[in-house]
Amino acid sequence: MSVTSGTKSESGIGETIRVVIHALLIALVIRTFLFQPFNIPSGSMKATLLVGDYLFVSKYSYGYSHYSIPFSPPLFSGRIWGSDPNRGDIVVFRLPKDDTTDYIKRVIGLPGDRIQMREGLLYINDVAVQRERLSDFIGEDPCGSDAMARVKRWKETLPNGVSYETLDCVDNGFYDNTNVYTVPAGHFFMMGDNRDNSTDSRVQSAVGYVPSENLIGRAQMIFFSIAEGEHAWMFWRWPVAVRWARLFKIVR
């Protein structure tokens, strides 16, 4: 029996373990400080983000809070190297009412802003946001059914020049007319682009104002996208199920 072969085998196992540990540590550092992948499970950000989109979120964009760390241990409060998001950024954050749940919405209101919806039109500090009618959205129904649908589509332009598309399922929907929301210091007002089918800061009992500490990162790029109702692990369906045109699309 050869003694050296056993030593080589033990050395090989040890080297494999070290490689695996190093790989896990590198992945942990990347996920904590650089980029974290998320997928879109609901249609609240249609047509900007679709159900089945997978995207990278930059963790460094707004600095770091304890929510940046896996499992969110309460090691410290506030943010380290923090900076505020810009109006119009699409942000992943921890839900203030349930900090185990991640949400993704667009930043509409900054601290001190007054936000209101009047007849479906967004007002920021009593000034109507510029809105332009576009051709209808046609596709997987953003209003909640499983059918294909045709829905009104608008282009909104915020005061800082950021433009994006919104969808309008119904005229004068439940949150198309609201009271004035005054954003507290250190908080942000978030809204979904699918205005009639989004639980966001307009719903104070469910989301409300989002504290700076709850921000996780900024949505940057779609790296994979698969049609609603399909499963990413069913790779044999990819030729017909993957939305190839959305791969590597920058999120705006």
Side-chain angles (χ1 to χ4, degrees):
M1 180 180 295
S2 172
V3 176
T4 54
S5 64
T7 302
K8 288 181 179 178
S9 176
E10 291 173 3
S11 176
I13 293 173
E15 182 63 25
T16 299
I17 292 173
R18 282 193 293 274
V19 169
V20 170
I21 291 174
H22 289 163
L24 291 174
L25 289 174
I26 292 170
L28 179 63
V29 169
I30 291 173
R31 183 190 183 280
T32 301
F33 296 104
L34 299 178
F35 296 98
Q36 183 174 346
F38 287 87
N39 73 290
I40 305 301
S42 74
S44 69
M45 284 297 294
K46 285 184 176 180
T48 307
L49 297 174
L50 305 179
V51 176
D53 282 347
Y54 289 74
L55 48 87
F56 285 124
V57 169
S58 59
K59 304 291 284 291
Y60 53 82
S61 293
Y62 312 124
Y64 307 95
S65 74
H66 74 275
Y67 292 116
S68 304
I69 305 171
F71 307 111
S72 305
L75 300 179
F76 59 94
S77 61
R79 302 194 73 82
I80 298 174
W81 302 310
S83 61
D84 289 345
N86 294 315
R87 202 190 306 274
D89 285 0
I90 296 178
V91 173
V92 173
F93 59 93
R94 285 292 172 87
L95 187 64
K97 309 295 183 181
D98 173 13
D99 67 359
T100 63
T101 301
D102 296 323
Y103 262 39
I104 184 166
K105 304 291 179 185
R106 190 181 296 276
V107 177
I108 296 296
L110 304 179
D113 281 345
R114 298 183 308 280
I115 308 297
Q116 187 178 24
M117 296 293 294
R118 304 179 197 168
E119 298 182 352
L121 186 59
L122 172 63
Y123 284 75
I124 299 177
N125 298 324
D126 302 315
V127 178
V129 168
Q130 180 183 338
R131 188 169 74 157
E132 175 188 350
R133 185 75 159 87
L134 301 176
S135 59
D136 288 349
F137 169 86
I138 301 174
E140 298 158 344
D141 186 11
C143 305
S145 76
D146 295 328
M148 301 292 283
R150 177 187 292 270
V151 176
K152 288 181 181 178
R153 186 166 58 110
W154 301 86
K155 177 183 177 182
E156 276 186 357
T157 301
L158 295 174
N160 62 346
V162 173
S163 296
Y164 50 90
E165 296 178 4
T166 67
L167 300 182
D168 188 13
C169 290
V170 294
D171 294 331
N172 290 316
F174 192 74
Y175 289 107
D176 280 346
N177 293 280
T178 70
N179 296 323
V180 176
Y181 303 96
T182 301
V183 185
H187 291 69
F188 300 92
F189 194 93
M190 309 291 191
M191 292 179 66
D193 292 349
N194 186 2
R195 290 291 164 77
D196 292 318
N197 195 15
S198 173
T199 302
D200 49 41
S201 291
R202 293 171 295 175
V203 189
Q204 294 285 291
S205 61
V207 180
Y209 308 112
V210 178
S212 173
E213 186 175 31
N214 287 50
L215 305 182
I216 292 177
R218 179 180 179 181
Q220 297 285 4
M221 184 184 71
I222 298 169
F223 66 86
F224 187 72
S225 182
I226 195 162
E228 193 167 345
E230 297 282 353
H231 300 285
W233 57 268
M234 297 176 66
F235 61 88
W236 57 90
R237 292 277 303 163
W238 285 8
V240 294
V242 170
R243 303 184 184 108
W244 298 102
R246 294 185 66 79
L247 269 59
F248 309 114
K249 181 179 179 180
I250 302 300
V251 177
R252 291 188 172 88

